[in-house]
Amino acid sequence: MESAIPLHLETPRTRHKRVPDDYQPPYPSFVARYKPSVNRVVMAYFGLQYRGTAAAAATDALAEIAARFAAEGGPSHWDRAQYVDQAGYENVVSVAYWDDIARFDKWFASAREAWTGAQPEGIGTFIEVLRPTVARHETLFSSLGRPEGVAAISGGMSGEVQEHAYWGGMRDRIPLSQTGPMSPGGNPELIRDGARLRVKAHDNLCLIRSGQDWSDTETSERKLYLDDVEPVLREGMDFLRDDGLGIGCYANRYMRVLAAGGDASEKSYGQSWWKSLAALERWAESHPSHVRIFGAAMKYLSTLGPSAKLRLYHEVTVAAADEQFFEYLNCHAKTGMLAAVETVAA
Amino acid sequence: MESAIPLHLETPRTRHKRVPDDYQPPYPSFVARYKPSVNRVVMAYFGLQYRGTAAAAATDALAEIAARFAAEGGPSHWDRAQYVDQAGYENVVSVAYWDDIARFDKWFASAREAWTGAQPEGIGTFIEVLRPTVARHETLFSSLGRPEGVAAISGGMSGEVQEHAYWGGMRDRIPLSQTGPMSPGGNPELIRDGARLRVKAHDNLCLIRSGQDWSDTETSERKLYLDDVEPVLREGMDFLRDDGLGIGCYANRYMRVLAAGGDASEKSYGQSWWKSLAALERWAESHPSHVRIFGAAMKYLSTLGPSAKLRLYHEVTVAAADEQFFEYLNCHAKTGMLAAVETVAA
């Protein structure tokens, strides 16, 4: 049993973790382990928004960003996911990960210009970037052997960690929780730059990417996931998307991961922006929409036990104000962090 | 909005509470308020255990302890509850509350001798007492106007308190949580004193009395409680009674409160002894048996909203080693804290 907080990020505590030192989680979980030399990571979401009539232009844009990812200075890992949003637009989000901030900065300038500088008629684009220090970040995996998201660039996974399977484990896994409450500072503001809209959020904004992979499940387990768990998960994701603002969720996307050829894979993830880690904690712990998800997942896992083939993971970041970048071009007003600021109508 | 921790028990914190200072609970709850002069309270459970054949002797014993309660030095409040335990015995528990330790001590010596000194054939008796400082204790009520348990001697109730409706609220309401983890110290030990068996538990043993009162509910709400909530609650209570030891629950009684005349009232409560507050927290937050209770209660309350007439309350104490007393006479080995020690067979 090891701590989710890596040794080199342990600091003298001014804040206690939520469980006693002899706490034993009831089942194993694992976290991504970066090399100690990695101080920051970058997670950059490149979104594309369109309706069917602009499908050809969308395909071109997706091919172009993929080519940029493959070029000099590009990410160590990226993946792509798709969803239809609350306004009926098709969205494709390509998320890319770097563990070298200098390499990202050099790569990013021209990529940004190409992605949100100008796009053909009917195409909206956005860029949402966090570049947190690793002390502001945590991951959790239900099983080994298939890293997802930022963990794909970490180079390794932990053994069984202690800080999970209790409410508060997410916070306790973030190294900064040893010394700080990570309280939010201020409200998101809109900045107009011609056609581009930028959102300046605030200190300790929180991002979660929370995913599930049912590709290894067979017959009865697959049926249980698709019939009993997924609909409850979708309902919770829809709640966050449509009514999350009142509880501190600025935006939520529940997306299907696309395989290399562009077809839907048997993986999905929710990506949401939160006013604070505390707001995310409160929703997860006590809101009916997540209590139902938790109940369904619990029933699923207790039915299947260790034989469950469903893979679950998440990554959570609490970003400092200067670790964030949000930019939108020709997107509707409910897109990402635009939903968090006053109406963007001119 | 006020803190559950009364002003005169606020101390400089070395441990943080689990929610930010601007946390707003989603619905109101209230706590018992003692006069600042009250430093300790006493909660004394006098149990009677028998089978049908000893019913007449049981009636006599119950009348006798009631007479003692009514005499000089007796409790400020007491109530009585009944259940059939896992060994098929009828149990009646009379619980009495004092806010003056000297008065209790003076009263207790002869009452103890009468209750667990000797009893007729077929009658088992037990006494379980905590006498905590008020800093080791918290209460929570869903509504005003009908104090139960220890709150009945407090003399008053708070306004709406902040520390509730999140996991960790129970701990945050206990004043001692400002400075200490309340970790358990050691294992329960059996002490034989002739026919009397005493259990010496350990520092920071935890007691919860958690009750529900459906006497004010009408038709559809009553049906919802009795059909959808109570069976799930009972299942969880049975789990704790039969299989709680593995998760740190030494004993649990799920009892029906008796009205003054001895008939069953429309109130019940669960009373359980725990290795630690942390063990109680873990069960409440993540064990399937309580997650189901929580889910059922949540569905009930969200269906009814503020019009719900069901009343809920609990009281939780984390007692120091010298604030406890457990004594059993002619009880079976699964009775109360006897279940926490090695077999008591001679």
Side-chain angles (χ1 to χ4, degrees), chain B residues 264-321:
Chain B
S265 72
E266 296 186 315
K267 299 179 181 182
S268 64
Y269 72 90
Q271 180 220 349
S272 52
W273 295 104
W274 292 80
K275 170 121 187 136
S276 65
L277 182 64
L280 172 55
E281 288 178 318
R282 294 293 88 72
W283 174 69
E285 295 173 18
S286 56
H287 195 275
S289 62
H290 190 267
V291 169
R292 277 193 292 269
I293 295 172
F294 181 70
M298 200 142 206
K299 197 171 159 195
Y300 178 91
L301 295 171
S302 64
T303 301
L304 290 158
S307 77
K309 292 286 192 298
L310 181 68
R311 290 170 178 263
L312 302 169
Y313 72 95
H314 82 200
E315 58 190 64
V316 173
T317 300
V318 179

Side-chain angles (χ1 to χ4, degrees), chain A residues 14-20 23 165-168 278 281-282 285-288 291 294-295 298 302, chain B residues 14-20 23 165-168 278 281-282 285-288 291 294-295 298 302:
Chain A
T14 58
R15 294 172 67 88
H16 60 275
K17 61 176 195 251
R18 226 198 130 218
V19 289
Y23 168 73
Y166 62 92
W167 299 116
E281 288 178 318
R282 295 292 88 71
E285 295 173 17
S286 55
H287 195 275
V291 169
F294 181 70
M298 201 142 203
S302 64
Chain B
T14 57
R15 295 171 66 89
H16 60 276
K17 61 176 195 250
R18 222 194 135 222
V19 290
Y23 168 73
Y166 63 91
W167 299 117
E281 288 178 318
R282 294 293 88 72
E285 295 173 18
S286 56
H287 195 275
V291 169
F294 181 70
M298 200 142 206
S302 64

Side-chain angles (χ1 to χ4, degrees), chain A:
Chain A
M1 187 76 56
E2 52 194 87
S3 172
I5 297 178
L7 264 177
H8 70 283
L9 294 177
E10 277 184 15
T11 58
R13 283 184 176 273
T14 58
R15 294 172 67 88
H16 60 275
K17 61 176 195 251
R18 226 198 130 218
V19 289
D21 289 338
D22 64 357
Y23 168 73
Q24 296 275 353
Y27 51 86
S29 290
F30 313 90
V31 305
R33 291 283 192 220
Y34 303 97
K35 290 186 197 72
S37 61
V38 175
N39 181 45
R40 273 179 196 277
V41 291
V42 179
M43 36 198 76
Y45 292 82
F46 292 82
L48 183 73
Q49 186 176 91
Y50 65 101
R51 292 191 192 267
T53 49
T59 303
D60 291 348
L62 290 173
E64 202 243 317
I65 192 74
R68 284 184 181 271
F69 288 156
E72 177 72 20
S76 308
H77 172 77
W78 66 278
D79 58 55
R80 184 167 275 175
Q82 171 278 339
Y83 78 115
V84 177
D85 69 23
Q86 65 269 56
Y89 286 80
E90 184 78 19
N91 285 251
V92 178
V93 177
S94 309
V95 50
Y97 298 94
W98 286 257
D99 64 5
D100 180 334
I101 206 98
R103 201 179 81 221
F104 169 75
D105 284 342
K106 214 167 143 189
W107 176 91
F108 182 57
S110 62
R112 173 190 168 198
E113 208 44 50
W115 193 249
T116 51
Q119 288 285 358
E121 177 80 19
I123 297 284
T125 50
F126 60 87
I127 304 176
E128 298 173 343
V129 182
L130 294 187
R131 36 202 288 166
T133 62
V134 290
R136 287 178 160 278
H137 172 68
E138 65 92 14
T139 62
L140 193 67
F141 283 79
S142 67
S143 54
L144 294 169
R146 197 176 299 166
E148 301 279 355
V150 73
I153 68 165
S154 71
M157 299 289 282
S158 70
E160 295 184 22
V161 298
Q162 183 186 48
E163 300 92 341
H164 76 97
Y166 62 92
W167 299 116
M170 175 168 70
R171 182 179 290 268
D172 286 350
R173 289 188 297 273
I174 299 176
L176 194 57
S177 72
Q178 298 168 101
T179 54
M182 297 177 276
S183 311
N187 292 304
E189 290 169 22
L190 184 69
I191 297 164
R192 292 171 188 278
D193 176 10
R196 281 165 155 166
L197 301 176
R198 277 194 291 284
V199 177
K200 189 170 164 293
H202 53 73
D203 211 25
N204 293 326
L205 182 80
C206 179
L207 166 67
I208 181 168
R209 170 180 175 163
S210 180
Q212 34 283 324
D213 173 352
W214 64 97
S215 59
D216 291 350
T217 63
E218 289 171 21
T219 51
S220 64
E221 180 180 0
R222 172 173 297 253
K223 185 170 160 50
L224 204 58
Y225 173 73
L226 293 174
D227 292 357
D228 292 3
V229 178
E230 199 282 335
V232 181
L233 173 62
R234 178 176 298 274
E235 197 184 343
M237 296 288 101
D238 288 352
F239 166 79
L240 288 183
R241 183 193 64 195
D242 297 335
D243 299 298
L245 214 49
I247 58 158
C249 180
Y250 292 136
N252 184 55
R253 306 179 176 111
Y254 175 48
M255 301 190 277
R256 181 68 83 91
V257 175
L258 300 178
D263 293 335
S265 72
E266 295 186 317
K267 300 179 182 182
S268 65
Y269 72 90
Q271 181 221 349
S272 53
W273 294 104
W274 293 80
K275 172 125 186 128
S276 65
L277 182 63
L280 173 54
E281 288 178 318
R282 295 292 88 71
W283 173 70
E285 295 173 17
S286 55
H287 195 275
S289 62
H290 190 266
V291 169
R292 278 194 290 271
I293 296 173
F294 181 70
M298 201 142 203
K299 195 170 161 196
Y300 179 90
L301 294 171
S302 64
T303 302
L304 289 159
S307 78
K309 292 287 193 297
L310 181 68
R311 290 169 177 263
L312 303 169
Y313 71 96
H314 83 199
E315 59 191 63
V316 173
T317 300
V318 180
D322 63 0
E323 296 173 339
Q324 309 166 19
F325 178 81
F326 296 96
E327 188 165 73
Y328 302 84
L329 175 73
N330 297 335
C331 293
H332 67 74
K334 294 289 188 193
T335 306
M337 286 295 291
L338 290 181
V341 291
E342 290 295 296
T343 172
V344 297

